Structures are given as C-alpha cells and as structure tokens.
Amino acid sequence: MFSIGHIMTRDPLTIMPSESVEYAAALMNQHRIGCLPVVENGRLVGIITSRDVRCSHFNRLVADAMSKQVVVVSMECSLWEAKELLERHGIERLVVVKDGRPVGIVTKSQLYAELGKHIDALTGLDRAEFLQRKAAEFLQDEKEIAIIFLDLDNFGAIDKEMGHVLGDKILQQVAQVLRSVVEDGIDYLCRYAGDEFAVVTTRPLEDAKKLALRMVTALAEENWPHGLKVTGSAGVAGGRRSAPRSEEAKACAVSDLINMASLASTKAKKENKQVVVAGLVELKEAW
Amino acid sequence: MPSKSLFPSAPSESKRKADVTIRLSEFEIPPMQDVLLVGKRAPIGPEAIRRMVNALSPDQYEVIQLDHDIFEAAVLKKSLARLLPEEKLLPIVLEEGARIATEKTVVKAQVNIVIQVSQVVDL
C-alpha cells in the first residue's frame, strides 16, 4: 500500500536510442507525457524528457539527447524513500525497474498526492504509517533504532473545558515545539494519533532517552494560550535486529516496539515521571 | 458594360522549361576529414557520428567526449594520433575551432602533420 508499485503508471511508453529527437517530441505530444524511458534490447539505457527535447536539435538521435544517468527505483521502494530520491537528485520523475527493464513511471505530482494522504492536515506532520515504514527501513539497514512515544497529559480535559478549537491550536503548537527539538535526518517525528506523538530515531537508546527528556521539558517550558499548562509523558523503547525476515515479520516487530514505547509512556504518566525507558530489545524472535 | 479583367489574358500557348545542371564529383569516404568537432547543440551528436564512422570507416576514428564550452565531442582519425599524441593535437584544434564555431555547428578540420627529424651521426 505504501510502495511505489501501487501508485506507478504501468507499462510506460518507451523509445529506442536510434530514434530521432523529433520522433520523441511527437510521441510526447501525442500521448501528453513529459518523458520517455530509452530502451535498447529491453534494457533501460537512458531517459529523454521534454526539457532534453527543447534543448536538442530535432535531427539528433535520442541517444545524443537523452540523460544516461537514470534514477531508478524498485516497485517495493516506499513512498518516502522515493520522495527522498526525487529531492536529493532534484528530478521530476522516477523510472521503476524490474530486472533492468522499465515497468513503470512515477511523477513528483503523483507521489506528492499520495504522500499527502499520509500527512496529518492539522499539524503537517507525517502520520503513524510513516513512522512504521521508517522504522522498518532502519531495521532493514541493520541500524539500531529507538521509538519515543509521547502522550499529552490530561489533554481530554483541555478539549472538554476549553473547546476543540483551542485544543486543535494546542496540538499545532505541540507539533511546532517538538519539531524544534528533533534533528532532521536522525529523528523522524509523526502525529501518531489524537494527542499522541512519536519519534523514530537512530540515536542510541541513552541518547534517545535524552531526546525524550528534551521533548517533555520543551513542552513544559512553552508559553501556552490562556496560561494553560500542557505537559507530556514519554516512553522509550529501543530495538535492533540480526537477520533479514519477511515484510510481515518486520511490521510485526516495529509494532511491538511502538507498543512497548506506548506502554512505557503510560507507565510514566501513572508514576508521574517525565520519561520511562522500556529497554533495548533484540528482535531476533520477532523477526 | 462588360467588366474589365485586372489580369492580362493568359497566352494562348504557355511554354515551361526546366534547366538541369548536374555536378558530379566523387563522394568522399569517409565524408569527413581528419578531425570533426561536434557542437553541443549541433544537428548530429557524437553517437550518430560514431555510428556513421563505424559504418563507413570501421576502426579508423575515435570519438572523444569533451568537457568544453562549445564542443561536446571530437572525432579524431586514429592514424593522426600515431603521429602526434591526442593530448597535444586536440588542444590546438579545439582552440582554432572555437574561434569559428558555435554550439550549433559541426566543424571538420584537415590536419597535416610533418615530422622533422635531424640527427647527427658520427663519421
């Protein structure tokens, strides 16, 4: 559901390198498309875009106008990985390949439209699916991860007593505060549900605990509307894997970690602590 | 009153002729000379030229991709490189070519290399 294979345009129109740029332009116009993967003997050898066509003489061969460096992805690539690739290379589309053959194309607009469905409209943060996918990616790459689960204290009471409009404003402000604490490229923040926020991070468990503490402290020190006091309790769980397992098993292991962090945050709330660490678990059995 | 035509009446017998001039000359094989400099936006690119020279004169030319303001590639007759190393010859050709060419042109160059040798031998 969150992979490129589900949203790509299948069986894209292709062109051979020995065709002319003029023919490529005519094909693009006829089919109202912005690029053509260039294929020779069934293998992807380049890509020609409408920009390449504009910059090249119409008499040229496609081979002399195409870009030879094509950024490709597999059908299993996640939407977020694809987004990172597009942004890193500053490109508009990705060619999806299977065994070296182009099987689909994904444009930036297609990808962003799909990703928009997984972004929380109120806070602008990613939703829970992103956290799960990112955690699974890290584990796949043999990285140690930690999940921080932060639950706001008595937020239901604020909603009931001050109304949902103010409640929504506070949730937006919480998102801003937490964003200012986490570090891009290391920590990935999302709104998990309602008044619950979560972070997946590649920091070691001890550092993750420090981050959780900074998050809770930042909320406590923030100036809230109407002099309200907004606090949160956090739970931290760390995990690492050893051997590769199936997709299903990966999702299961990540869910277990999130669950552990969530229970730890509940414990923190009950015991009136800022942060409770559930510990670091080996995910051998779960995988 | 009959209307008067603005155009003169057509001649009763029209005559149309065609002059045919034919210039015959030998087609150069290959139709290029010693060096070709291919502009970045020329009507043909290095891959098209590579296919052409490989078809017309197999193994006689080398296509060299360039990092140059005007030219994308140079096509060099391999026999020239035996007389003068490519790294010595190309800068000279490129410098002169850049004076007359634009990105949209393909320039062909005829290069004559004379090697002068003077040796002293003991009598």
Side-chain angles (χ1 to χ4, degrees), chain A residues 87-88 91 106 149 192 257 269:
Chain A
E87 289 172 356
R88 196 187 319 145
I91 50 177
V106 174
F149 202 92
Y192 197 80
L257 262 191
K269 201 177 291 229

Side-chain angles (χ1 to χ4, degrees), chain B residues 16-72:
Chain B
R16 299 175 71 228
K17 289 182 179 177
D19 276 343
V20 178
T21 306
I22 302 174
R23 291 174 65 195
L24 297 175
S25 64
E26 192 181 1
F27 181 69
E28 272 183 81
I29 303 286
M32 48 195 281
Q33 290 167 352
D34 301 315
V35 180
L36 271 189
L37 299 176
V38 186
K40 282 181 171 173
R41 300 185 68 182
I44 54 171
E47 180 57 24
I49 289 179
R50 188 186 65 77
R51 290 175 189 213
M52 178 185 79
V53 296
N54 280 350
L56 294 176
S57 314
D59 299 326
Q60 288 186 40
Y61 288 86
E62 185 185 359
V63 180
I64 301 157
Q65 294 287 339
L66 301 172
D67 182 14
H68 190 271
D69 289 343
I70 298 173
F71 302 115
E72 183 177 357

Side-chain angles (χ1 to χ4, degrees), chain A residues 129-147:
Chain A
E129 304 88 40
F130 170 73
L131 182 93
Q132 283 167 339
R133 194 77 205 195
K134 204 72 204 171
E137 258 176 53
F138 287 141
L139 291 173
Q140 183 72 34
D141 295 343
E142 311 281 336
K143 287 179 181 163
E144 184 180 317
I145 61 165
I147 305 273

Side-chain angles (χ1 to χ4, degrees), chain A residues 148-161:
Chain A
I148 300 169
F149 202 92
L150 188 144
D151 196 357
L152 297 183
D153 300 330
N154 300 316
F155 186 73
I158 294 176
D159 256 353
K160 273 184 191 165
E161 287 166 27

Side-chain angles (χ1 to χ4, degrees), chain A residues 18 55 57 59-61 63-64, chain B residues 39-43 45 47-48 72:
Chain A
S18 53
C55 294
H57 196 285
N59 188 63
R60 279 199 169 209
L61 294 181
D64 281 326
Chain B
K40 282 181 171 173
R41 300 185 68 182
E47 180 57 24
E72 183 177 357

